[in-house]
């Protein structure tokens, strides 16, 4: 490869690595399909997403495939992201988590979600740590919920159950499951705001 091309690639890489975005700027750039924004997103969030996917699948090769599929979904669906409904990281984390759960289910097994912790995400240096609670804080806050809400959050977000599966497992109406989860999430949001 000619030296000038190598120098150009190094300059592009350095320019990309120096780019900084606020969340609003990043979302706007992603929605404009700016390459540097997608590179920034991948560079800063792929490690955290890979940790989440790996903890669910327990297979690094499959986790790498799901990570790639997740970023394709993010790229294709970024226009549907609504910042009023939650942070960008939460949105992309849910895409990755759901992809991992789907991959596990395609193999005919339950996803391994019992030990998924935000600690895996917090170990990634480029993730906005202010937006996440530590694992122990998260568990402590979830434990403050009423027992009927706590079990639903645990099943839905830590064990990978769908709302329908929770309804069947606990033998309570689907509407009740959804409303209790919604109430629990609103309660958790208040705890995190405080």
């Amino acid at each position: 490869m000619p030296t000038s091309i190598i120098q150009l690639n190094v300059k592009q890489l350095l320019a990309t690595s120096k780019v900084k975005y606020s969340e609003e700027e990043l979302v706007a750039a992603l929605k404009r399909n700016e390459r540097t924004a997608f590179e920034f997103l991948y560079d800063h969030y792929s490690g955290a997403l890979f940790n989440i996917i790996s903890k669910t699948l327990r297979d690094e090769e499959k986790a790498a495939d799901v990570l790639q599929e997740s970023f394709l979904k993010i790229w294709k669906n970024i226009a549907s992201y609504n910042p009023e409904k939650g942070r960008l990281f939460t949105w992309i984390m849910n895409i990755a988590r759901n992809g991992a759960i789907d991959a596990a289910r395609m193999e005919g097994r339950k996803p391994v979600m019992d030990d998924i912790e935000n600690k895996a995400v917090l170990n990634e240096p480029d993730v906005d740590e202010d937006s996440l609670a530590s694992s122990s804080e998260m568990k402590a806050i979830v434990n403050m919920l009423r027992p009927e809400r706590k079990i639903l959050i645990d099943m839905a977000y830590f064990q990978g159950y769908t709302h329908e599966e929770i309804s069947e497992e606990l033998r309570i109406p689907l509407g009740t499951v959804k409303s209790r989860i919604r109430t629990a999430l609103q309660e958790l949001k208040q705890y995190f705001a405080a």
Side-chain angles (χ1 to χ4, degrees):
M1 190 181 275
T3 308
S4 61
I5 292 176
I6 292 171
Q7 290 172 338
L8 179 62
N9 288 339
V10 170
K11 286 180 183 176
Q12 286 175 334
L13 181 63
L14 290 173
T16 301
S17 65
K18 291 180 182 178
V19 174
K20 298 284 184 198
Y21 294 96
S22 68
E23 185 164 308
E24 297 79 25
E25 292 169 338
L26 179 59
V27 169
L30 290 169
K31 288 187 177 189
R32 289 190 304 266
N33 289 321
E34 291 181 13
R35 181 180 174 167
T36 55
F38 281 102
E39 289 170 351
F40 179 89
L41 185 75
Y42 187 85
D43 290 345
H44 287 78
Y45 295 99
S46 61
L49 297 181
F50 184 78
N51 284 337
I52 291 165
I53 295 165
S54 295
K55 283 193 169 279
T56 306
L57 294 177
R58 303 283 171 120
D59 180 324
E60 286 193 15
E61 191 174 312
K62 288 179 184 159
D65 291 342
V66 171
L67 179 67
Q68 183 178 358
E69 291 168 13
S70 297
F71 273 97
L72 283 172
K73 265 188 191 169
I74 292 164
W75 176 60
K76 289 178 180 178
N77 297 305
I78 190 65
S80 69
Y81 168 68
N82 182 352
E84 293 176 6
K85 292 186 178 181
R87 295 184 60 102
L88 177 65
F89 180 75
T90 305
W91 185 74
I92 65 174
M93 182 184 69
N94 282 329
I95 289 173
R97 182 181 156 276
N98 291 340
I101 291 169
D102 290 345
R105 287 189 176 140
M106 285 178 63
E107 295 176 350
R109 64 177 183 81
K110 275 253 185 245
V112 181
M113 297 294 287
D114 56 340
D115 64 345
I116 191 168
E117 297 179 347
N118 284 332
K119 182 173 74 179
V121 174
L122 288 171
N123 287 337
E124 190 61 31
D126 294 318
V127 173
D128 178 11
E129 294 182 11
D130 294 334
S131 67
L132 301 170
S134 72
S135 176
S136 58
E137 289 173 315
M138 175 67 81
K139 288 179 180 177
I141 291 171
V142 170
N143 283 334
M144 293 171 67
L145 294 172
R146 294 169 131 183
E148 68 270 12
R149 294 179 187 154
K150 177 183 158 189
I151 192 169
L152 296 175
I153 294 296
D154 180 61
M155 290 177 79
Y157 292 94
F158 295 108
Q159 296 183 47
Y161 283 83
T162 65
H163 291 173
E164 291 80 8
E165 290 170 336
I166 294 170
S167 174
E168 290 173 21
E169 184 84 17
L170 298 179
R171 297 184 181 156
I172 56 177
L174 181 60
T176 303
V177 169
K178 289 181 178 185
S179 65
R180 284 184 185 170
I181 287 175
R182 190 176 318 110
T183 302
L185 291 174
Q186 289 170 345
E187 229 176 288
L188 289 171
K189 191 175 182 179
Q190 290 174 354
Y191 287 125
F192 285 114

